[in-house]
Amino acid sequence: MTETTAPSATKEPEARGRGKRRNALGPTYGALLALVVLVTANALFTPNFASASNLWNILLQVSTTVLVAVGMTLVMATGGIDLSVGSIMAVASALGASLLGSGVGVAVAAGLAAGTALGLLNGALVSAFRIQPFIVTLALLITGRGVAQVINEGNLVPFNNPTFESLGRGRIGPVPAQALIMVLVVAVALVAMRSTTFGRYAIAVGGNESAARLAGVPIHRTKIAVYALSGLLAGLAGLIDTARLGASDAAKIGLNIELDAIAAVVVGGTPLTGGRATIGGTVIGALIMQVITTSFNMRLIPFSWSLVIKAAIILIAVYIQRPRAH
């Protein structure tokens, strides 16, 4: 009797451990597998999809979404959410375009500073006043868009500044400048989350805030920092979009990008409940959304269908990440 029960007692925890590891691999490698299947199917059945020009176009289109989604990943790692990123992009765009007469450096610095300041405001309200992140950032989503339109006086603000426009239209060889900026930001975020104390703090706060506080993790500073970084990256994305368009349109810059960013983060394997962050998964999630949009455009399928497909992918990702009974 003892010989038959003892092995089962030791094997049961091992089986549960293997199950947990398989569950953890699902969100991470499931998104990568989905991206490979999408790219392969389009390369075979969508004319000109596999061309070099289309590849650069996909990277061009996805770069600002990735920048915003990386910031969103940091916020969601702490268990928060940032709905204001699109409006922060609009404020940075309006401020940058209005200050171009003072020099490109001033315009870029003002746009980035405005994004960071609005992120700091979000973080301070969430951390110090314990207001739900959804409410805080929803309020800024509404007011930020209004502030941007006040700065632009409700008008489209075109400009002709080749130096500033190179931020969104420049190329280094065949590679778009904004794609290189995206790669640099992703690399820094990967190192920060994997190899720095800040990354460990962010994960700890999202995993169990009470335990993190008892362990000496600076909860307030960590939360404020992730929202500030999210604002900074949203400001950078707003300036890039403005430079690419050659105009500041406060009503449209960054419109609904928060939905694409959240979708990319969730599909990439970062749970809405926090405690885990996969920067690489976020990039893959953003690429999945962009490949769907691009392939539907190339096959002249109505845009509304791409929204349906994206919604289905998000639901599947959330289902895979659901808490499991043990």
Side-chain angles (χ1 to χ4, degrees):
M1 290 293 289
T2 304
E3 291 178 356
T4 55
T5 53
S8 62
T10 56
K11 286 179 179 178
E12 189 172 342
E14 292 176 1
R16 285 202 297 269
R18 287 194 296 271
K20 288 181 180 178
R21 285 193 290 274
R22 282 197 298 271
N23 292 340
L25 291 176
T28 303
Y29 294 101
L32 179 59
L33 178 62
L35 178 62
V36 171
V37 170
L38 272 173
V39 170
T40 304
N42 279 289
L44 292 174
F45 301 112
T46 302
N48 300 321
F49 181 86
S51 64
S53 60
N54 190 50
L55 168 65
W56 297 128
N57 181 56
I58 288 175
L59 289 178
L60 195 70
Q61 297 294 329
V62 82
S63 56
T64 51
T65 302
V66 169
L67 291 177
V68 174
V70 167
M72 189 72 74
T73 304
L74 304 182
V75 172
M76 287 174 61
T78 64
I81 197 164
D82 189 353
L83 300 179
S84 65
V85 286
S87 294
I88 291 177
M89 286 178 65
V91 172
S93 168
L95 203 56
S98 67
L99 292 175
L100 267 179
S102 302
V104 173
V106 173
V108 171
L112 295 179
T116 306
L118 291 172
L120 282 169
L121 176 63
N122 278 335
L125 290 173
V126 168
S127 179
F129 294 93
R130 296 183 178 276
I131 306 175
Q132 288 294 320
F134 180 88
I135 302 300
V136 170
T137 57
L138 178 63
L140 186 56
L141 179 151
I142 297 168
T143 56
R145 185 72 59 184
V147 169
Q149 297 199 41
V150 168
I151 295 172
N152 280 357
E153 299 179 344
N155 299 318
L156 179 73
V157 181
F159 52 80
N160 182 15
N161 188 313
T163 304
F164 180 70
E165 288 169 28
S166 65
L167 187 63
R169 299 178 181 176
R171 288 178 178 270
I172 299 177
V175 185
Q178 60 197 84
L180 290 175
I181 294 172
M182 174 189 73
V183 171
L184 179 62
V185 167
V186 168
V188 171
L190 277 170
V191 173
M193 293 306 292
R194 290 185 178 181
S195 308
T196 68
T197 304
F198 165 74
R200 289 190 286 274
Y201 282 173
I203 299 297
V205 170
N208 188 326
E209 185 171 328
S210 300
R213 183 177 289 106
L214 290 173
V217 174
I219 305 294
H220 294 303
R221 284 212 310 267
T222 303
K223 285 188 175 181
I224 292 172
V226 295
Y227 282 97
L229 287 171
S230 177
L232 172 65
L233 292 175
L236 176 60
L239 292 172
I240 289 175
D241 261 2
T242 305
R244 182 169 61 88
L245 296 172
S248 172
D249 186 349
K252 293 183 178 176
I253 291 282
L255 188 65
N256 293 332
I257 197 169
E258 63 275 3
L259 303 180
D260 287 338
I262 292 170
V265 176
V266 172
V267 170
T270 298
L272 289 166
T273 50
R276 186 156 59 94
T278 57
I279 298 294
T282 295
V283 175
I284 292 171
L287 284 171
I288 288 174
M289 298 301 170
Q290 188 57 49
V291 167
I292 291 172
T293 301
T294 301
S295 60
F296 275 44
N297 287 338
M298 296 180 74
R299 299 185 70 84
L300 302 180
I301 298 174
F303 177 71
S304 53
W305 280 108
S306 72
L307 299 179
V308 174
I309 298 296
K310 288 178 181 179
I313 290 174
I314 293 169
L315 289 175
I316 292 170
V318 172
Y319 175 78
I320 291 173
Q321 295 174 17
R322 73 194 190 283
R324 309 295 175 88
H326 298 296

PDB file of all heavy atoms in Angstrom, residues 95 137 152 188 204 210 213 218 223 230 255 302 308:
ATOM      1  N   LEU A  95       1.102  70.431 -29.213  1.00  0.00           N
ATOM      2  CA  LEU A  95       2.128  71.264 -28.604  1.00  0.00           C
ATOM      3  C   LEU A  95       3.391  71.312 -29.474  1.00  0.00           C
ATOM      4  O   LEU A  95       3.989  72.381 -29.676  1.00  0.00           O
ATOM      5  CB  LEU A  95       2.462  70.708 -27.211  1.00  0.00           C
ATOM      6  CG  LEU A  95       3.081  71.665 -26.207  1.00  0.00           C
ATOM      7  CD1 LEU A  95       2.205  72.893 -25.999  1.00  0.00           C
ATOM      8  CD2 LEU A  95       3.315  70.959 -24.873  1.00  0.00           C
ATOM      9  N   THR A 137      -7.699  57.454 -16.018  1.00  0.00           N
ATOM     10  CA  THR A 137      -7.229  57.591 -17.401  1.00  0.00           C
ATOM     11  C   THR A 137      -8.378  57.846 -18.370  1.00  0.00           C
ATOM     12  O   THR A 137      -8.175  58.448 -19.421  1.00  0.00           O
ATOM     13  CB  THR A 137      -6.439  56.331 -17.818  1.00  0.00           C
ATOM     14  OG1 THR A 137      -7.266  55.167 -17.656  1.00  0.00           O
ATOM     15  CG2 THR A 137      -5.193  56.170 -16.977  1.00  0.00           C
ATOM     16  N   ASN A 152      -4.728  73.730 -30.711  1.00  0.00           N
ATOM     17  CA  ASN A 152      -4.788  73.901 -32.175  1.00  0.00           C
ATOM     18  C   ASN A 152      -5.936  74.808 -32.604  1.00  0.00           C
ATOM     19  O   ASN A 152      -6.134  75.005 -33.806  1.00  0.00           O
ATOM     20  CB  ASN A 152      -4.954  72.537 -32.859  1.00  0.00           C
ATOM     21  CG  ASN A 152      -3.645  71.793 -32.977  1.00  0.00           C
ATOM     22  OD1 ASN A 152      -2.601  72.315 -32.595  1.00  0.00           O
ATOM     23  ND2 ASN A 152      -3.687  70.583 -33.497  1.00  0.00           N
ATOM     24  N   VAL A 188      15.299  48.450 -25.029  1.00  0.00           N
ATOM     25  CA  VAL A 188      15.470  49.052 -23.696  1.00  0.00           C
ATOM     26  C   VAL A 188      14.435  48.486 -22.723  1.00  0.00           C
ATOM     27  O   VAL A 188      14.746  48.163 -21.564  1.00  0.00           O
ATOM     28  CB  VAL A 188      15.365  50.588 -23.777  1.00  0.00           C
ATOM     29  CG1 VAL A 188      15.314  51.203 -22.383  1.00  0.00           C
ATOM     30  CG2 VAL A 188      16.528  51.165 -24.569  1.00  0.00           C
ATOM     31  N   ALA A 204       6.240  42.744  -9.182  1.00  0.00           N
ATOM     32  CA  ALA A 204       5.848  42.457  -7.796  1.00  0.00           C
ATOM     33  C   ALA A 204       4.589  43.218  -7.403  1.00  0.00           C
ATOM     34  O   ALA A 204       3.696  42.669  -6.753  1.00  0.00           O
ATOM     35  CB  ALA A 204       7.002  42.815  -6.847  1.00  0.00           C
ATOM     36  N   SER A 210       0.118  43.853  -1.600  1.00  0.00           N
ATOM     37  CA  SER A 210       0.324  43.818  -0.149  1.00  0.00           C
ATOM     38  C   SER A 210       1.652  43.146   0.191  1.00  0.00           C
ATOM     39  O   SER A 210       2.417  43.643   1.034  1.00  0.00           O
ATOM     40  CB  SER A 210      -0.836  43.066   0.513  1.00  0.00           C
ATOM     41  OG  SER A 210      -2.061  43.713   0.249  1.00  0.00           O
ATOM     42  N   ARG A 213       4.526  45.399  -0.683  1.00  0.00           N
ATOM     43  CA  ARG A 213       4.722  46.476   0.304  1.00  0.00           C
ATOM     44  C   ARG A 213       5.480  45.952   1.516  1.00  0.00           C
ATOM     45  O   ARG A 213       6.400  46.609   2.023  1.00  0.00           O
ATOM     46  CB  ARG A 213       3.370  47.046   0.724  1.00  0.00           C
ATOM     47  CG  ARG A 213       3.475  48.216   1.703  1.00  0.00           C
ATOM     48  CD  ARG A 213       2.125  48.808   2.047  1.00  0.00           C
ATOM     49  NE  ARG A 213       1.550  49.543   0.939  1.00  0.00           N
ATOM     50  CZ  ARG A 213       0.546  49.114   0.190  1.00  0.00           C
ATOM     51  NH1 ARG A 213       0.003  47.928   0.429  1.00  0.00           N
ATOM     52  NH2 ARG A 213       0.079  49.818  -0.806  1.00  0.00           N
ATOM     53  N   PRO A 218       8.850  49.977  -3.259  1.00  0.00           N
ATOM     54  CA  PRO A 218       8.245  51.321  -3.250  1.00  0.00           C
ATOM     55  C   PRO A 218       7.026  51.359  -4.190  1.00  0.00           C
ATOM     56  O   PRO A 218       7.156  51.663  -5.374  1.00  0.00           O
ATOM     57  CB  PRO A 218       9.376  52.230  -3.735  1.00  0.00           C
ATOM     58  CG  PRO A 218      10.252  51.340  -4.556  1.00  0.00           C
ATOM     59  CD  PRO A 218      10.151  49.968  -3.976  1.00  0.00           C
ATOM     60  N   LYS A 223       4.388  52.774  -9.313  1.00  0.00           N
ATOM     61  CA  LYS A 223       3.183  53.056 -10.091  1.00  0.00           C
ATOM     62  C   LYS A 223       3.314  54.369 -10.861  1.00  0.00           C
ATOM     63  O   LYS A 223       2.962  54.461 -12.040  1.00  0.00           O
ATOM     64  CB  LYS A 223       1.961  53.113  -9.163  1.00  0.00           C
ATOM     65  CG  LYS A 223       1.484  51.744  -8.695  1.00  0.00           C
ATOM     66  CD  LYS A 223       0.171  51.872  -7.941  1.00  0.00           C
ATOM     67  CE  LYS A 223      -0.380  50.498  -7.571  1.00  0.00           C
ATOM     68  NZ  LYS A 223      -1.667  50.595  -6.852  1.00  0.00           N
ATOM     69  N   SER A 230       4.626  55.431 -19.687  1.00  0.00           N
ATOM     70  CA  SER A 230       3.568  55.251 -20.685  1.00  0.00           C
ATOM     71  C   SER A 230       3.247  56.589 -21.363  1.00  0.00           C
ATOM     72  O   SER A 230       3.091  56.655 -22.591  1.00  0.00           O
ATOM     73  CB  SER A 230       2.313  54.687 -20.005  1.00  0.00           C
ATOM     74  OG  SER A 230       1.249  54.562 -20.932  1.00  0.00           O
ATOM     75  N   LEU A 255      -6.309  58.570 -32.242  1.00  0.00           N
ATOM     76  CA  LEU A 255      -7.706  58.215 -31.967  1.00  0.00           C
ATOM     77  C   LEU A 255      -7.861  56.686 -31.905  1.00  0.00           C
ATOM     78  O   LEU A 255      -7.503  55.983 -32.848  1.00  0.00           O
ATOM     79  CB  LEU A 255      -8.616  58.797 -33.053  1.00  0.00           C
ATOM     80  CG  LEU A 255     -10.123  58.665 -32.803  1.00  0.00           C
ATOM     81  CD1 LEU A 255     -10.530  59.478 -31.580  1.00  0.00           C
ATOM     82  CD2 LEU A 255     -10.905  59.137 -34.042  1.00  0.00           C
ATOM     83  N   PRO A 302     -13.763  44.499 -46.513  1.00  0.00           N
ATOM     84  CA  PRO A 302     -14.170  45.656 -45.704  1.00  0.00           C
ATOM     85  C   PRO A 302     -13.472  45.695 -44.349  1.00  0.00           C
ATOM     86  O   PRO A 302     -13.297  44.659 -43.694  1.00  0.00           O
ATOM     87  CB  PRO A 302     -15.680  45.458 -45.547  1.00  0.00           C
ATOM     88  CG  PRO A 302     -16.074  44.665 -46.741  1.00  0.00           C
ATOM     89  CD  PRO A 302     -14.915  43.758 -47.037  1.00  0.00           C
ATOM     90  N   VAL A 308     -13.898  42.529 -36.554  1.00  0.00           N
ATOM     91  CA  VAL A 308     -14.519  41.308 -36.026  1.00  0.00           C
ATOM     92  C   VAL A 308     -13.457  40.260 -35.718  1.00  0.00           C
ATOM     93  O   VAL A 308     -13.469  39.618 -34.653  1.00  0.00           O
ATOM     94  CB  VAL A 308     -15.555  40.753 -37.018  1.00  0.00           C
ATOM     95  CG1 VAL A 308     -16.096  39.413 -36.542  1.00  0.00           C
ATOM     96  CG2 VAL A 308     -16.700  41.750 -37.201  1.00  0.00           C
TER      97      VAL A 308
END
